[in-house]
Amino acid sequence: MNLNQNNTPLFDALNQFYRNDPISFHVPGHKSGKIFEKYAREFFDAILPLDLTELPGLDDLHGAGGVIDEAQKLAAAYFGADQTHFLVGGSTAGNLAMILSVCAAGDKIVVQRNCHKSIFNGLELSGAKPIFMAPAFDNSVNRYTAPDIKTIKMVLQQHPNAKAVVLTHPDYFGQSFGIEEMINLIHEYDIPVLIDEAHGVHFSSSTMFPESALTHGADAVVQSAHKLAPAMTMGAFLHVQSERLSNSRIHHYLQMIQSSSPSYPIMASLDLARSFLANLTEHEMALIMKSTRDVREILDSSESWDVLPADDPLKIVLEAKPGITGGMIAELFGQEGILPEFSTNYQVLFIHGLAPFEAVKRLKKVIRQIDAQLKNQRNHDIMNVDNLFTEQLTELDLDYSTMSRMSRYQLAQIPLEEAEGYIAAEAITPYPPGIPFIMKGERINRIHIRAVKELAQKGVHMQHFDINDGINVFLASNQR
């Protein structure tokens, strides 16, 4: 097979299929765009002809042997993996498949505490027994990042029979850490390392970015192509490069998790995104890097926030000055049509794309306007969050197996103010970034209650949770 990274076999096959103008007696029901709401045609006309199904010459994701197989092999070659799987359910699908492939009910698995909610969902589906590692608080960026190497040594010494270790690299804000040292240490115990690298798909495109965990021997790595590469939403990769894992088991669970009718436009966008990354020139990358520096300098001209350091130059993090919140800053930018990725109590994340930024004058003008608006509004207290994780290693107070056997009569919804000491029957997850603040099966404490109330008061969106209705807990779980 020709592994020329200029090739886009899946997209080319779809394009040729469309140009042959076949008569459709097959799904989908829009019949290559011929049946569709007229008022929406201008938005969908260009993509619907490529929204096809498993037809002759178009291969099958769940039994790939043609153009999808070629596209996946090109991706594996570019990223440096043994196998690459296309994901049409985002990194979520890859995280679920990774965990299910290594864990059965009751198996120990070591997990970074501040990981994405899809990791927790995989743990619950598998019935595994997670050992959670607390992340360290990084004073240089004023937030929790990743567990330190001492914590990893401790957990490996105490749980050498763990089935896997799950880490997030980089964090949502583009912060990297000593991933090579961690992987090497974990491999000394012959334990596979599973990495949620949702925000690192572009790392392989230039030495100006941090190195991917793939480079350092991680056994499986999930990357959200749609986050930083030009791919459609829900497009992601799962890379495997290890004899510690069974690729056939991963494939088995991907068939269970992902649709039997995967989106061809999403898969084609993965094919194109890989080619885009592989063919970025040094000149193009230099222009992108100059643009990131320019945008960072413009944002740093404000009197209302500081710009924090970031390992990934595409991530630009603002930290609000005392008395100002991240939510206030994000809201004011949004009112002017400039939309950051998300905000916390005191930080705002901007993601620079893989192309030079052009709206420089507009950005400068908006910053001046925001500074003027915030000048006399510095009267908000900022929540202290550097004491959220007081124990290095923790386990759930109720395991998933026990929780699954509890009936609805053992559940109750109570006001948040009364929940201290109870065990949560649902996760409380601010989104973005999708990291559960309170885990299902975790005992609720005073810090949880205070922080969740403050987040809700500041308008932070909580998935699957309405603070006004209370929180679901397990009855009698307040008895220690």
Side-chain angles (χ1 to χ4, degrees):
M1 189 184 109
N2 185 359
L3 292 178
N4 184 340
Q5 293 296 334
N6 289 301
N7 292 345
T8 52
L10 178 53
F11 172 75
D12 293 345
L14 292 173
N15 186 29
Q16 186 58 52
F17 195 94
Y18 160 68
R19 294 186 182 284
N20 290 341
D21 194 25
I23 296 173
S24 171
F25 280 103
H26 55 76
V27 298
H30 58 68
K31 299 296 181 181
S32 297
K34 295 179 175 64
I35 304 172
F36 214 71
E37 287 283 9
K38 292 180 181 179
Y39 67 85
R41 280 188 177 276
E42 65 174 302
F43 298 102
F44 285 86
D45 266 350
I47 197 68
L48 289 176
L50 301 184
D51 186 29
L52 295 164
T53 189
E54 290 79 5
L55 297 165
L58 298 186
D59 208 357
D60 179 352
L61 177 64
H62 299 302
V67 290
I68 295 176
D69 181 55
E70 290 180 37
Q72 291 183 142
K73 286 178 178 175
L74 278 163
Y78 169 67
F79 288 104
D82 293 337
Q83 293 95 17
T84 291
H85 300 272
F86 281 5
L87 306 176
V88 294
S91 285
T92 291
N95 286 337
L96 294 177
M98 281 196 308
I99 291 171
L100 290 169
S101 72
V102 298
C103 283
D107 285 342
K108 286 183 181 179
I109 181 170
V110 177
V111 181
Q112 180 176 331
R113 170 60 182 87
N114 58 333
C115 61
H116 188 264
K117 67 174 189 174
S118 58
I119 299 292
F120 292 90
N121 292 337
L123 297 173
E124 184 171 355
L125 288 172
S126 70
K129 183 180 180 181
I131 312 298
F132 293 109
M133 296 184 294
F137 191 83
D138 187 339
N139 289 304
S140 69
V141 292
N142 290 324
R143 62 177 179 269
Y144 287 97
T145 53
D148 58 33
I149 194 68
K150 293 180 181 177
T151 301
I152 293 179
K153 287 179 179 177
M154 182 193 307
V155 75
L156 292 173
Q157 290 168 357
Q158 294 182 18
H159 304 281
N161 59 337
K163 296 295 184 180
V165 175
V166 182
L167 298 171
T168 300
H169 173 269
D171 70 8
Y172 207 126
F173 297 84
Q175 201 72 7
S176 186
F177 49 91
I179 190 68
E180 180 179 14
E181 183 182 9
M182 293 180 181
I183 292 172
N184 289 340
L185 174 62
I186 296 164
H187 281 171
E188 288 180 12
Y189 290 78
D190 199 30
I191 296 174
V193 183
L194 315 181
I195 303 289
D196 179 355
E197 198 168 82
H199 285 261
V201 70
H202 56 299
F203 285 0
S204 299
S205 64
S206 172
T207 56
M208 299 178 188
F209 299 125
E211 289 185 316
S212 169
L214 278 168
T215 305
H216 300 301
D219 301 273
V221 175
V222 173
Q223 296 173 332
S224 287
H226 67 93
K227 285 186 169 27
L228 275 302
M232 291 179 67
T233 298
M234 296 178 69
F237 300 111
L238 168 52
H239 309 293
V240 184
Q241 57 167 8
S242 174
E243 295 181 357
R244 298 180 186 88
L245 299 178
S246 167
N247 190 59
S248 62
R249 283 181 61 82
I250 289 175
H251 184 255
H252 167 72
Y253 284 108
L254 284 175
Q255 290 187 75
M256 295 176 65
I257 293 163
Q258 301 207 100
S259 171
S260 59
S261 300
S263 166
Y264 271 84
I266 291 177
M267 290 190 290
S269 79
L270 291 172
D271 194 20
L272 292 164
R274 179 270 314 156
S275 181
F276 173 88
L277 292 173
N279 289 289
L280 277 172
T281 66
E282 289 186 11
H283 175 67
E284 289 170 330
M285 190 58 65
L287 292 176
I288 294 168
M289 291 300 103
K290 181 181 183 303
S291 179
T292 64
R293 292 191 295 271
D294 291 345
V295 172
R296 187 177 295 272
E297 184 177 335
I298 293 168
L299 286 166
D300 205 21
S301 67
S302 170
E303 298 176 356
S304 303
W305 58 76
D306 295 314
V307 177
L308 296 181
D311 294 324
D312 181 356
L314 297 187
K315 300 293 184 72
I316 304 174
V317 183
L318 313 184
E319 181 165 84
K321 293 285 182 68
I324 300 174
T325 69
M328 292 165 63
I329 295 170
E331 182 178 358
L332 290 173
F333 269 109
Q335 289 174 2
E336 299 299 328
I338 296 178
L339 306 177
E341 170 69 7
F342 84 104
S343 64
T344 66
N345 263 359
Y346 47 89
Q347 295 184 350
V348 184
L349 173 62
F350 285 75
I351 299 180
H352 190 293
L354 283 170
F357 178 76
E358 297 179 347
V360 170
K361 290 183 179 179
R362 182 178 173 187
L363 180 60
K364 288 181 178 179
K365 179 181 177 182
V366 169
I367 290 173
R368 289 194 296 269
Q369 292 172 342
I370 292 175
D371 271 342
Q373 289 175 277
L374 290 176
K375 192 171 185 179
N376 299 314
Q377 297 186 31
R378 301 182 181 185
N379 56 1
H380 292 74
D381 293 330
I382 302 299
M383 182 175 66
N384 179 26
V385 295
D386 61 0
N387 62 348
L388 293 181
F389 304 109
T390 56
E391 297 181 47
Q392 292 300 98
L393 303 181
T394 57
E395 300 181 36
L396 293 177
D397 292 272
L398 276 181
D399 61 51
Y400 293 118
S401 177
T402 301
M403 286 189 283
S404 69
R405 295 195 300 270
M406 298 180 79
S407 73
R408 62 187 179 89
Y409 300 108
Q410 295 170 285
L411 300 175
Q413 189 176 68
I414 63 175
L416 180 65
E417 292 83 356
E418 301 173 13
E420 183 179 357
Y422 285 90
I423 293 176
E426 63 179 338
I428 300 179
T429 307
Y431 191 88
I435 297 170
F437 189 77
I438 298 176
M439 299 182 292
K440 181 178 179 179
E442 181 177 28
R443 194 175 298 277
I444 301 166
N445 60 41
R446 198 170 302 171
I447 295 174
H448 289 143
I449 294 171
R450 177 178 62 83
V452 171
K453 285 176 64 177
E454 185 163 343
L455 290 170
Q457 288 167 1
K458 294 181 183 300
V460 174
H461 174 63
M462 302 282 184
Q463 286 193 333
H464 312 301
F465 179 71
D466 187 341
I467 190 67
N468 296 318
D469 291 340
I471 178 173
N472 290 319
V473 299
F474 293 104
L475 288 173
S477 64
N478 62 333
Q479 302 300 315
R480 293 179 181 270

